[in-house]
Amino acid sequence: MNNGKRRMLTGNKAAAWGARRAGIEYVPAFPITPQTEIVETLAQWFADGSLKGRFTNMDSEHSMFMAAGAAAATGVRVFTASSSQGILYGLESLYTVTGWRVPFVMVNVSRALATPITLEPDHNDVMSTRDCGLVQLHAETCQEVLDFVLMGYKIAEHSQVSLPVLVNMDGFVLSFSREPVLIPDEKEARQFLPSFEPAQPVFNATAPLARASAVFGGGTYMYFRIQQDLAARHAETVFNETAKEFGERFGRFYEPVERFQTDDADLVFVMSNSFATKGKAAVQKLRRQGIKAGLLKISLFRPFPAEAVASALMGREKVAVIDQNLSPGVGGITYPEIVTALYGRPGAPKKILSVIGGLGGKDIRENEFMTVVDKLNDPEEKGPVYLYDEKDWAQFQALAKIARAEKGGP
Amino acid sequence: MTLHSGEHKKIHDLHPEEAIAPGSALCAGCGGLEGIRLALKELGENVLIANAAGCFTLLSVFPFTPFKGSWLYTTMAAPVPAAQGVRDALDIRREAGRLAEEDDFQVMVVAGDGSSADMGLAPTSAAIHRHLDFLYFCYDNEAYGNTGFQLSGASPYGSATQTAPATAGHPAGAELGKKDLFEIWKAQNPPYIATVSPREPIDLSNKFARARGMKGARLFLCLSPCPTGWGFDPKETHTIAKLAVDTGIFPLKEYIDGQVVHTRVPKKRVPVENYLERQKRFRHLFEPTRQDEVIARIQQGVDSYWAHYE
Ligand SMILES: Cc1ncc(C[n+]2csc(CCOP(=O)(O)OP(=O)(O)O)c2C)c(N)n1
Ligand code: SF4
Ligand SMILES: [Mg+2]
């Protein structure tokens, strides 16, 4: 156990190492900031012979996800990665290949969506894939990125799942930040994840297959869709089995949700991805001030671990769901999912507040967690709360003034 | 089924075996269906079809498939990338010793003209550029057929479609010309391109036989008379297809070794009118008032095409 090596790796490099240790054979690729370093690293490894198989430069993400699915349906272990506009551009293909029920792993390096165009992170890109049938693991650290990629293959290839797995990390915050990461020993990785043995039939001339045929009459369509739902739901059990095996082998244990000092907490922040680290620091600070705070981190976002969420939050008085995404006209996208998980349960929190913050690379500052606490304690506050304060407003006014001046305005 | 090698000379030379079973949701008299039937006779069973959204998607409706080979429905824009993924995976497996000789197969994209000329074009261009080893069968019914016959990039000037109707202000109907996919593909110099017609089975079969043994992107444009969209009686399919060739509107040719060769040259071209007047989509050129200008422009287009080769 743990006879790997520890290195300083960016999230992107950690993703590439995860793929390498998974023994991937095929990467259809397309660049996009902040993901590009992943496919560049893999391209280098295919070119210098460290990886065997094919690296194919595709013409778009729509093409890339299609090639990924088709190759998985033909019996090879596939990895790919994207971000932001690439996810949107490829969305039709993502829905298509999840319906094919083929296993592969993709990494999304979260970046906010246009318009306005930016390179910096938030979660609207990954949320756009929320309903397309991917299993989703959201990483807080570079180590989690690597580990989730390895675990991802085991989950994706499980005979009762057979779905692509998306591993999410935040652009910049993880993708370009070096953290100490343990790269598992190759043999150990191979024991955990043996070579790809497709559970579903793959394309072979001696055993022809018609796949993804058209259906008529809603009944047939619904049958296949329910199958997809059952498979996705079952992925939670498979996640737990996989995490157990992974923990026993590598000493790092994962759960669908991480409870950080929630057990005796009065108020809990619900967060995901890298900003959970900031949330944990805020919790510790609040605790030092005598405020019993806690944090619930969602690691397995699809299937949604409703039971685990509910059991962590039941008995807590106040909950703030901090969404780094926005559905205009609704608010935070995960907020309703948390509320639904708690609905009708005895001991459900009295207050569940929707908080929107950290959009498009905006930081969530330490004092803003204090703001959240104040809002939780303010009986008048119904939400959603935007973590956007006077300072942010003043900053924008300064820019707006320049913009107006350019037009000859005041 | 065993495949012939060598030139076919007569209809009797064509393979008696069928790689596609009769009985599908396609319309009676579908010219494209006849085209793919003949193509598959030549290619045999070891073919995976990567299909784009269109009429031919209805060939395989769960739980049936008319094909002896494999089938993968994709999307309107991405049948070619699917072919890329399948081909790459087969090559990876072969190199890793995980593909038995008899398990290998050809990958053929089957897509309509709309997919081919419009949203599927960039991925196709990319695949030709990557030297992807695949076949491409475009059945060209000159419109978005499956959605009810709307204008595509391949709809010819003067035809009426649901989204380019003929009106007093727009007497031609479609005012844009047909994209020349043959020339567009040719600009990238793939190893083989051919136009084929279901009415010329020997020509078609010989072209598929030639392409079968080659590697790389091998692309086929099959003019596909469409009784439903073009507006003619299903029993006329062959007459229409023949007239398309005899008028010179649809030149039968191939591009091989960097050369374009016409494989059937109409000796004396029949006036285009004879082709147009039999189809409802061109009816507005004849009634209520004759659109001489439009007809003349169509004829001129044909004449100037052939002038290059005469
Ligand atoms: C992205 C997308 N847009 C629109 C459609 C609707 N659609 C299905 S088939 C089709 C027409 C395809 O035309 P063509 O490729 O010429 O094939 P045909 O229908 O004529 O057989 C369209 C527009 C679709 N399936 N996907
Ligand atoms: S609409 Fe035309 S192309 Fe489509 S199936 Fe019918 S005849 Fe064939
Ligand atoms: Mg068409």
Side-chain angles (χ1 to χ4, degrees), chain A residues 43-69:
Chain A
Q44 178 64 36
W45 287 341
F46 276 103
D48 69 18
S50 315
L51 282 171
K52 300 261 173 303
R54 287 266 188 297
F55 180 97
T56 301
N57 285 297
M58 297 302 294
D59 43 288
S60 75
E61 293 82 357
H62 190 279
S63 295
M64 177 181 90
F65 290 129
M66 190 59 71

Side-chain angles (χ1 to χ4, degrees), chain A residues 214-225, chain B residues 62-63:
Chain A
V215 297
F216 284 120
T220 316
Y221 181 83
M222 244 183 107
Y223 171 84
F224 286 114
R225 292 289 283 164
Chain B
F62 185 83

Side-chain angles (χ1 to χ4, degrees), chain B residues 253-289:
Chain B
K253 55 187 170 181
E254 62 188 352
Y255 175 76
I256 186 166
D257 297 329
Q259 297 291 321
V260 177
V261 178
H262 286 90
T263 53
R264 290 271 186 285
V265 181
K267 285 206 185 63
K268 194 171 175 309
R269 287 195 300 280
V270 174
V272 294
E273 270 190 66
N274 295 28
Y275 171 75
L276 305 175
E277 69 190 3
R278 297 180 115 91
Q279 304 173 47
K280 199 167 154 224
R281 63 174 173 154
F282 295 113
R283 191 70 36 86
H284 59 283
L285 303 183
F286 301 95
E287 44 188 63
T289 40

Side-chain angles (χ1 to χ4, degrees), chain B residues 25-33 55-56 139 141 145-146 224-229:
Chain B
L26 270 53
C27 312
C30 176
L33 180 58
C55 285
F56 280 25
Y139 60 99
N141 60 8
N146 192 44
S224 304
C226 163
T228 314

